[in-house]
């Protein structure tokens, strides 16, 4: 018969809903209250232009090629009189297209001069897809939100 | 109703109807709100949050306003007059039960000698409302829903009445006030606290009857796990499919008033009604006794309503054959056995 032995099952279900009734609701009312992301959250990538040497490694390693870099070389006067003039790479353009970026973090891993950093900021949605392209200045602005690196293990 | 007696029959009647019309929707709103909020928390949600400033307390009112501004659609294939009449039949039947619900020693529409009989008979009229709503909508889902409702409500009417018979035999009266008084005097094993005998509500001696009535009441109200008539996943919305706007709101309010009246009947027959049980109301003056009585009744109703909401958001829906199986093969034999045992003890002791 279908109705035999259904009492324990019913009681179990009732107990679960009662327990859930008195649990704290995990909902966060987003615009009014914000969840604090963990410090190492992959929110947005920040750029330190001083450290960048225009080596293009990040651009080449990027799986979906969302990093656009342009640069040129500048001649610098020799450090000593009579010496050889030095060349220095200068960054003209550094764009990351967040419409393409898949937040894999390979660019941050691969950068040999520590010019790219993860920042936990996440509120940079836009109305147009073209506005998801962050240029050099915007990427540099994110640098202020980068948390301090975790302490080294002794 | 001392005031009412002083102003004559027709004026008193008008006053009573006015009070009922004002109170009844107000009774439904907190139950709707409780349903929204409790269901949300049982599903790990917050539920209504912004309406009314805090806790979303105005959500039922906002929903009501939304219904008012919607278009009142009548399908071409509908039997127009019957279609328009159906929601008011359901609401009217639900409201008419209020006549015999005792909120206090004097706060009763009319203490009929056949109070219980009247309440159950009049609440069955809403079945006809549901059936004609399903029939007149000109929609196959509505029709299936209406017929399911009819089959279900007829099946569960029997255990509902059989469960009440046990109480009526024990109390030897069908008057609602009479049953409450009988419970106030009823004692089991001579239990006492400080020389005062403890009144035992009928839920203890008539526990089987109470359980049968509770299950049958859930089915009468078409609430989960007995909501096949409106089964969303099968029948769109059953007999409510074609209704919109104000008529849908009337059905909706009728449903929640039905929950209140069924709970109030249960509280009266099995839980002692307005009688707080552990002390005597007759020692107080009229106003205090009626106020406390109403609060006690609302408290008991709140417990029963909470149980209904809790069950609704826990249990899955029965299948149609399981529903009939439960009514005809378990509840009705159990109800008959309950009557026989009650009658036996009534005669022997």
């Amino acid at each position: 018969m279908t109705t035999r032995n259904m009492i324990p099952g019913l009681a179990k279900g009732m107990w679960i809903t009662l327990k859930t009734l008195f649990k704290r609701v995990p909902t966060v009312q987003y615009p009014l209250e914000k969840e604090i992301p963990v410090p190492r959250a992959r929110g947005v990538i920040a750029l330190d232009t001083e450290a960048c040497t225009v080596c293009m490694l990040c651009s080449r390693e990027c799986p979906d090629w969302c990093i656009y870099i342009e640069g040129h070389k500048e001649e610098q006067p020799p450090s000593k009189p009579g010496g050889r003039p030095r060349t220095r790479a200068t960054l003209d353009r550094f764009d990351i297209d967040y419409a393409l970026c898949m937040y894999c973090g390979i660019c941050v891993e691969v950068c040999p001069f520590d010019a790219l950093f993860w920042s936990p900021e996440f509120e940079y949605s836009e109305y147009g897809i073209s506005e998801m392209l962050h240029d050099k200045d915007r990427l540099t602005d994110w640098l202020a939100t980068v948390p301090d690196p975790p302490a080294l293990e002794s | 109703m001392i005031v009412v007696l002083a102003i004559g029959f027709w004026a008193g009647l008008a006053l009573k109807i006015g009070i009922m019309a004002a109170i009844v929707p107000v009774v439904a709103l907190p139950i709707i709100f409780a349903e929204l909020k409790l269901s949300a928390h049982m599903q790990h949600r917050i539920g209504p949050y912004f309406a009314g400033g805090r806790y979303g307390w105005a959500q039922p009112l906002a929903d009501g306003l939304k219904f008012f501004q919607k278009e009142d659609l009548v399908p071409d294939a509908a039997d127009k007059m019957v279609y328009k009449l159906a929601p008011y039949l359901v609401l009217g039947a639900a409201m008419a039960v209020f006549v015999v619900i005792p909120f206090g020693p004097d706060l009763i529409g009319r203490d009929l000698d056949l109070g219980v009989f009247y309440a159950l008979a009049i609440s069955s009229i809403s079945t006809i409302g549901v059936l004609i709503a399903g029939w007149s909508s000109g929609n196959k889902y509505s029709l299936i829903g209406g017929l399911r409702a009819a089959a279900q409500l007829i099946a569960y009417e029997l255990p509902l009445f059989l469960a009440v018979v046990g109480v009526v035999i024990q109390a030897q009266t069908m008057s609602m006030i009479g049953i409450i008084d009988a419970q106030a005097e009823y004692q089991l094993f001579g239990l006492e606290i400080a020389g005062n005998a403890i009144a035992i509500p009928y839920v203890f001696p008539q526990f089987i009857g109470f359980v049968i009535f509770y299950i049958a009441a859930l089915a009468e109200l078409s609430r989960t796990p007995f909501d096949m008539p409106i089964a969303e996943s099968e029948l769109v919305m059953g007999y409510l499919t074609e209704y919109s706007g104000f008529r849908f709101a009337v059905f909706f309010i009728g449903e929640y008033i039905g929950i209140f009246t069924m709970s109030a009947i249960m509280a009266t027959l099995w839980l002692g009604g307005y009688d707080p049980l552990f002390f005597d109301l007759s020692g107080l003056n009229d106003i205090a006794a009626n106020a406390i009585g109403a609060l006690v009744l609302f408290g008991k109703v709140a417990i029963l309503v909470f149980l209904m909401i809790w069950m609704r958001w826990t249990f899955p829906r029965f299948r149609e054959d399981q529903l009939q199986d439960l009514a005809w093969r378990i509840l009705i034999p159990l109800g008959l056995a309950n009557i026989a045992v009650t009658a036996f003890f009534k005669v022997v002791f």
Side-chain angles (χ1 to χ4, degrees):
Chain A
M1 198 163 69
T2 49
T3 33
R4 191 185 294 163
N5 288 337
M6 67 183 200
I7 303 297
L10 293 181
K12 210 185 224 173
M14 297 283 272
W15 174 240
I16 285 172
T17 37
L18 188 69
K19 260 196 314 193
T20 315
L21 176 61
F22 291 106
K23 264 187 201 159
R24 218 179 68 84
V25 178
T27 309
V28 177
Q29 300 282 359
Y30 168 60
L32 301 181
E33 48 187 75
K34 282 175 191 165
E35 226 175 351
I36 299 167
V38 290
R40 294 175 68 187
R42 296 180 172 192
V44 67
I45 293 164
L47 171 71
D48 184 1
T49 44
E50 296 299 311
C52 182
T53 60
V54 204
C55 68
M56 306 272 180
L57 277 179
C58 51
S59 181
R60 281 197 294 179
E61 293 295 326
C62 180
D64 40 17
W65 291 24
C66 68
I67 305 177
Y68 307 99
I69 302 174
E70 282 167 21
H72 68 275
K73 287 186 174 154
E74 275 177 6
E75 290 237 323
Q76 287 196 317
S79 48
K80 288 180 216 162
R84 191 164 58 87
R86 308 271 163 169
T87 58
R88 188 186 140 84
T90 315
L91 197 60
D92 292 329
R93 177 184 177 211
F94 194 109
D95 296 350
I96 296 180
D97 190 351
Y98 282 105
L100 288 176
C101 177
M102 61 186 199
Y103 301 89
C104 64
I106 289 175
C107 51
V108 179
E109 298 281 323
V110 86
C111 180
F113 300 102
D114 276 357
L116 294 172
F117 301 92
W118 277 117
S119 157
E121 288 295 310
F122 56 92
E123 293 171 302
Y124 54 91
S125 52
E126 302 283 356
Y127 287 108
I129 199 166
S130 59
E131 286 155 48
M132 293 300 286
L133 187 84
H134 288 203
D135 63 6
K136 197 169 64 173
D137 298 331
R138 190 125 185 241
L139 290 171
T140 312
D141 290 343
W142 290 122
L143 206 58
T145 63
V146 174
D148 292 335
L152 296 171
E153 288 172 38
S154 55
Chain B
M1 288 267 155
I2 304 109
V3 188
V4 176
L5 291 176
I7 56 176
F9 178 76
W10 290 109
L13 189 67
L15 186 68
K16 277 179 181 174
I17 291 172
I19 289 172
M20 284 294 175
I23 285 176
V24 164
V26 178
V27 160
L29 291 179
I31 300 177
I32 294 171
F33 180 66
E35 175 106 61
L36 291 171
K37 226 34 189 173
L38 288 172
S39 69
H41 280 269
M42 281 175 185
Q43 298 170 350
H44 241 192
R45 298 183 288 114
I46 289 181
Y49 191 74
F50 294 104
R54 265 184 99 77
Y55 309 117
W57 65 268
Q59 192 62 44
L61 287 173
D63 281 351
L65 280 178
K66 184 197 78 179
F67 285 131
F68 282 129
Q69 63 169 2
K70 284 203 165 185
E71 189 183 351
D72 181 24
L73 294 167
V74 180
D76 270 349
D79 186 343
K80 306 243 165 14
M81 200 177 130
V82 180
Y83 177 85
K84 287 179 177 169
L85 186 75
Y88 302 110
L89 203 58
V90 172
L91 181 67
M95 282 174 77
V97 181
F98 272 81
V99 172
V100 290
I101 292 175
F103 292 96
D106 303 311
L107 278 177
I108 179 166
R110 181 150 291 232
D111 183 21
L112 300 171
D113 288 340
L114 285 172
V116 182
F117 180 80
Y118 168 84
L120 294 177
I122 208 91
S123 66
S124 302
I125 290 180
S126 65
T127 310
I128 299 169
V130 168
L131 185 57
I132 66 172
W135 177 259
S136 64
S137 292
N139 177 317
K140 58 189 170 188
Y141 295 117
S142 296
L143 182 58
I144 297 172
L147 292 179
R148 276 190 186 189
Q152 171 175 335
L153 300 179
I154 289 165
Y156 279 87
E157 208 97 293
L158 280 168
L160 198 76
F161 278 58
L162 293 178
V164 168
V165 171
V167 170
V168 171
I169 290 174
Q170 193 161 6
Q172 290 177 306
T173 173
M174 284 181 114
S175 141
M176 298 292 250
I177 299 254
I179 289 170
I180 290 170
D181 290 343
Q183 289 181 72
E185 285 160 18
Y186 182 69
Q187 282 154 34
L188 211 57
F189 315 123
L191 284 176
E192 287 184 359
I193 289 180
N196 291 320
I198 307 171
I200 305 286
Y202 280 168
V203 68
F204 294 107
Q206 289 287 336
F207 184 71
I208 293 171
F210 178 70
V211 172
I212 293 171
F213 190 94
Y214 198 88
I215 295 171
L218 282 179
E220 281 286 289
L221 299 165
S222 309
R223 282 182 73 76
T224 322
F226 304 100
D227 65 340
M228 280 73 92
I230 53 166
E232 301 96 335
S233 49
E234 303 160 27
L235 297 179
V236 189
M237 200 63 187
Y239 58 87
L240 294 172
T241 306
E242 296 292 352
Y243 283 92
S244 66
F246 184 66
R247 283 175 218 283
F248 181 83
V250 167
F251 264 121
F252 198 69
I253 289 174
E255 189 186 322
Y256 281 89
I257 288 168
I259 290 168
F260 180 87
T261 51
M262 272 292 175
S263 302
I265 291 170
M266 262 185 275
T268 307
L269 297 187
W270 280 278
L271 301 180
Y274 58 74
D275 193 351
L277 296 172
F278 49 85
F279 70 91
D280 206 359
L281 279 180
S282 55
L284 302 161
N285 66 30
D286 267 357
I287 293 165
N290 283 321
I292 292 171
L295 285 178
V296 168
L297 183 79
F298 280 123
K300 287 169 179 173
V301 166
I303 293 167
L304 292 170
V305 167
F306 172 74
L307 205 58
M308 277 188 191
I309 293 172
W310 184 11
M311 285 181 168
R312 169 163 183 189
W313 295 98
T314 304
F315 298 150
R317 188 179 302 134
F318 271 114
R319 217 167 50 216
E320 197 63 32
D321 63 314
Q322 290 170 332
L323 165 108
Q324 300 291 344
D325 189 59
L326 180 66
W328 294 101
R329 289 171 65 187
I330 296 178
L331 293 184
I332 291 176
L334 211 62
L336 289 169
N338 183 46
I339 293 173
V341 172
T342 310
F344 175 77
F345 277 99
K346 194 75 191 173
V347 173
V348 172
F349 296 104

